[in-house]
C-alpha cells in the first residue's frame, strides 16, 4: 500500500512540475551557444502591439548580441571563466500601465550571470506612445524639466522621501543616507528610470514610479527599490496634457513585492 501511495505521489509531483513548465511562456527570442544562453521575453500586452513588440525585440536582440561578443572576448582572454558553463542572460519586457489609451509604461528587467561572485540584475523603463508608434519621455507632461529646476527638485525631494519609507519597511533605515542617495539627481536623465503608475481611476496615472536596481540606492542585499511620487505632489508643474492623464490614487497592493 505504501509503495502505491509513494508511486502516486511521485506521479502527482511530476505532473505538477510538468504543468509548471508548460505554463511558463516561451521566450520570444533565444540564443544558445557554448558561451552564452540568452533569452528575450515580451508580455502579452506588448505582443498585441506590433510596432511596440518589434521595437522591444530589436532592442533585446541587440542586447543579447552585445553579450555574445563580450563572451567571446572574455573566453579568449580568460578561458577558465567558462569552466563552470556558459554565461546566462535574460531580458523581460513587462507592461506596468496603459494611460489615456496610448501611453504605455514598460519595465525592462535584466538578469545576468557571467561567472562573477553572484548573478546581477538591472532595471530600466520605456514610455511608449502607441498613437505615434515611438518612445517618448515624460517631458510633455511638465511645464519645465530643466536640470536643477523647480520640477526636478520637487521630484527628487519626493523620491527620497519615498525611498526612506521603503527602507524603513525593510529595516534598512541605516542606509537611507546622502551617500546611498547621491545618484538621485535633479536631472531627468539622472533621477531614475520612470514609469506612469497605474491608478484607481480608469485611463489615468496616479503618479510616477522610479525604479532602482540593486546597488543603485542601497547594498546588493537590499534588492530593487521602487519610489512612488503621487500626482498631487507634481500638480503645480503639470502641462494641460499632464493634467489630463493624472488622477485617482495608487491601487492597493501596487507596492507589494518590490524587494
Amino acid at each position: 500500500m505504501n509503495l502505491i501511495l509513494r508511486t502516486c505521489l511521485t506521479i502527482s509531483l511530476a505532473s505538477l512540475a510538468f504543468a509548471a513548465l508548460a505554463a511558463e511562456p516561451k521566450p520570444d527570442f533565444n540564443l544558445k551557444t557554448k558561451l552564452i544562453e540568452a533569452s528575450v521575453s515580451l508580455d502579452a500586452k506588448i505582443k498585441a502591439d506590433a510596432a511596440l513588440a518589434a521595437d522591444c525585440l530589436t532592442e533585446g536582440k541587440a542586447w543579447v548580441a552585445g553579450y555574445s561578443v563580450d563572451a567571446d572576448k572574455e573566453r579568449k582572454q580568460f578561458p577558465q571563466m567558462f569552466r563552470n558553463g556558459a554565461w546566462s542572460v535574460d531580458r523581460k519586457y513587462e507592461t506596468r500601465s496603459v494611460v489615456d489609451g496610448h501611453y504605455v509604461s514598460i519595465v525592462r528587467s535584466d538578469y545576468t550571470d557571467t561567472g562573477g561572485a553572484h548573478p546581477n540584475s538591472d532595471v530600466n523603463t520605456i514610455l511608449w506612445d502607441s498613437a505615434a508608434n515611438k518612445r517618448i519621455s515624460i517631458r510633455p507632461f511638465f511645464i519645465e524639466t530643466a536640470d536643477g529646476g523647480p520640477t526636478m527638485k520637487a521630484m527628487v525631494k519626493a523620491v527620497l522621501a519615498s525611498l526612506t519609507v521603503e527602507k524603513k519597511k525593510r529595516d534598512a533605515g541605516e542606509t537611507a543616507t546622502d551617500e546611498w542617495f547621491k545618484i538621485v539627481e535633479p536631472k531627468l536623465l539622472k533621477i531614475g528610470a520612470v514609469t506612469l503608475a497605474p491608478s484607481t481611476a480608469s485611463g489615468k496615472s496616479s503618479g510616477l514610479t522610479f525604479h532602482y536596481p540593486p546597488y543603485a540606492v542601497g547594498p546588493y542585499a537590499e534588492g530593487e527599490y521602487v519610489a512612488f511620487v503621487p500626482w498631487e505632489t507634481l500638480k503645480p508643474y503639470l502641462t494641460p496634457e499632464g493634467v489630463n492623464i493624472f488622477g485617482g490614487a495608487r491601487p492597493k497592493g501596487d507596492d507589494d513585492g518590490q524587494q
Side-chain angles (χ1 to χ4, degrees), residues 53-136:
D55 182 272
C56 292
L57 201 54
T58 297
E59 179 188 68
K61 288 179 178 179
W63 178 76
V64 168
Y67 268 96
S68 183
V69 170
D70 290 345
D72 187 55
K73 291 179 180 177
E74 194 78 4
R75 179 193 61 80
K76 291 175 181 176
Q77 289 185 296
F78 309 103
Q80 68 275 14
M81 295 294 291
F82 292 86
R83 288 174 182 170
N84 294 325
W87 284 6
S88 177
V89 301
D90 176 73
R91 171 169 283 187
K92 289 184 171 64
Y93 293 85
E94 297 175 302
T95 305
R96 170 137 175 77
S97 67
V98 180
V99 176
D100 199 29
H102 63 109
Y103 294 126
V104 185
S105 286
I106 296 165
V107 176
R108 190 187 74 195
S109 303
D110 296 343
Y111 167 88
T112 58
D113 186 351
T114 57
H118 54 71
N120 287 308
S121 59
D122 195 12
V123 63
N124 213 320
T125 60
I126 297 166
L127 181 57
W128 178 263
D129 184 349
S130 61
N133 282 337
K134 66 178 184 180
R135 298 187 185 198
I136 63 170

Side-chain angles (χ1 to χ4, degrees), residues 191-232:
I191 192 171
V194 63
T195 57
L196 298 176
S199 174
T200 54
S202 179
K204 301 289 185 179
S205 170
S206 60
L208 301 177
T209 36
F210 295 85
H211 302 253
Y212 302 95
Y215 281 135
V217 293
Y220 180 81
E222 288 183 21
E224 179 182 334
Y225 276 98
V226 178
F228 172 66
V229 179
W231 73 271
E232 292 91 343

Side-chain angles (χ1 to χ4, degrees), residues 6 10 21 30 50 53 64 88 90 148 181 235:
R6 286 199 298 270
T10 300
L21 288 172
N30 58 53
V64 168
S88 177
D90 176 73
F181 290 161
K235 191 174 180 179

Side-chain angles (χ1 to χ4, degrees), residues 27 40 50 64 78 88 116 180 223 229 239 241-242 254:
V40 178
V64 168
F78 309 103
S88 177
W180 277 112
V229 179
T239 60
E241 181 62 3
D254 184 60

